[in-house]
Amino acid sequence: GEDVEQSLFLSVREGDSSVINCTYTDSSSTYLYWYKQEPGAGLQLLTYIFSNMDMKQDQRLTVLLNKKDKHLSLRIADTQTGDSAIYFCAESLSGGYNKLIFGAGTRLAVHP
Amino acid sequence: NAGVTQTPKFRVLKTGQSMTLLCAQDMNHEYMYWYRQDPGMGLRLIHYSVGEGTTAKGEVPDGYNVSRLKKQNFLLGLESAAPSQTSVYFCASSSAGGGYTFGSGTRLTVV
């Protein structure tokens, strides 16, 4: 079935790199997304990667995609306290109505 | 450019009461969605719409109804609220094949 899995919690020291991992099940996914949710707010699109790419870099963010293992990761370089949030991985499914399947979210805590 | 606007932001209902949550988008998106977010369960799709006048059930539709009379608006109704419907509700919209733009959420408590 359709499922996206993420670890629930990650704690890092300010200035270090954070790596948030995600696995998905549908090999026909066309796009994979990372969303950020700050406390009391909605989900904000951070970045996305097309399924025929291996890597995408956008300033401090690096997305790596291993299609063979259906594994997606988000690396945040030089993590700051403002990066503390919940990060959701989502896969889009081909066909139908632009359906996105979301993971349960990884809570990133950044400490001094 | 407001994006996706949800009203109200907070609401407390008594069991059995009804209410309507309003979602409005100004991006001319065809697709709109209603999700609920509960601790540890991520986002679960309640209903969605692929265009004006159309609606469809998502993963957890029971106890909710929706309408999409105008392209820019997507309404979520609770006819008889239950404590199990205490949640944070998010509306989102997208173009075909595009990422979702989310509203800021409605926090609903049913007592």
Side-chain angles (χ1 to χ4, degrees):
Chain A
E2 306 153 353
D3 198 13
V4 175
E5 293 191 355
Q6 306 177 233
S7 53
L8 294 183
F9 188 74
L10 176 65
S11 177
V12 299
R13 192 183 304 274
E14 191 173 11
D16 287 351
S17 292
S18 309
V19 179
I20 302 171
N21 295 301
C22 168
T23 57
Y24 61 97
T25 54
D26 193 322
S27 58
S28 65
S29 292
T30 50
Y31 287 95
L32 294 126
Y33 298 87
W34 284 104
Y35 284 84
K36 176 183 180 182
Q37 184 182 31
E38 295 180 350
L43 278 71
Q44 172 195 0
L45 179 63
L46 265 186
T47 187
Y48 64 93
I49 188 167
F50 190 51
S51 58
N52 68 354
M53 298 170 64
D54 297 325
M55 184 181 84
K56 180 179 180 181
Q57 187 147 5
D58 184 1
Q59 299 182 339
R60 292 191 298 121
L61 304 178
T62 302
V63 179
L64 294 178
L65 175 60
N66 180 328
K67 248 191 125 171
K68 174 175 169 290
D69 295 336
K70 301 191 187 75
H71 182 267
L72 182 74
S73 67
L74 174 69
R75 177 178 180 270
I76 306 172
D78 186 26
T79 311
Q80 302 297 307
T81 53
D83 295 322
S84 294
I86 302 175
Y87 291 81
F88 290 90
C89 167
E91 62 170 340
S92 71
L93 303 184
S94 58
Y97 67 86
N98 191 30
K99 182 178 183 180
L100 289 193
I101 305 295
F102 289 86
T106 300
R107 183 178 297 274
L108 174 65
V110 182
H111 56 88
Chain B
N1 187 342
V4 177
T5 303
Q6 290 183 235
T7 52
K9 294 193 184 306
F10 302 93
R11 185 73 186 267
V12 178
L13 282 181
K14 292 183 179 178
T15 298
Q17 286 185 319
S18 63
M19 78 163 294
T20 300
L21 283 67
L22 172 64
C23 176
Q25 53 98 2
D26 61 4
M27 296 168 286
N28 202 34
H29 282 165
E30 285 295 327
Y31 298 173
M32 297 187 75
Y33 316 84
W34 275 107
Y35 284 88
R36 60 178 289 174
Q37 184 180 29
D38 301 292
M41 300 188 74
L43 292 163
R44 293 184 291 168
L45 182 65
I46 304 170
H47 286 280
Y48 64 96
S49 168
V50 300
E52 181 179 317
T54 74
T55 63
K57 293 180 180 179
E59 193 193 341
V60 288
D62 293 343
Y64 305 96
N65 57 76
V66 286
S67 64
R68 183 107 182 261
L69 298 179
K70 292 183 180 180
K71 185 177 184 179
Q72 63 268 32
N73 295 336
F74 195 28
L75 307 181
L76 178 70
L78 286 74
E79 288 187 350
S80 179
S84 60
Q85 294 178 304
T86 293
S87 187
V88 181
Y89 291 86
F90 287 102
C91 176
S93 70
S94 76
S95 58
Y100 290 10
T101 301
F102 281 85
S104 58
T106 296
R107 188 172 296 275
L108 175 66
T109 302
V110 183
V111 298

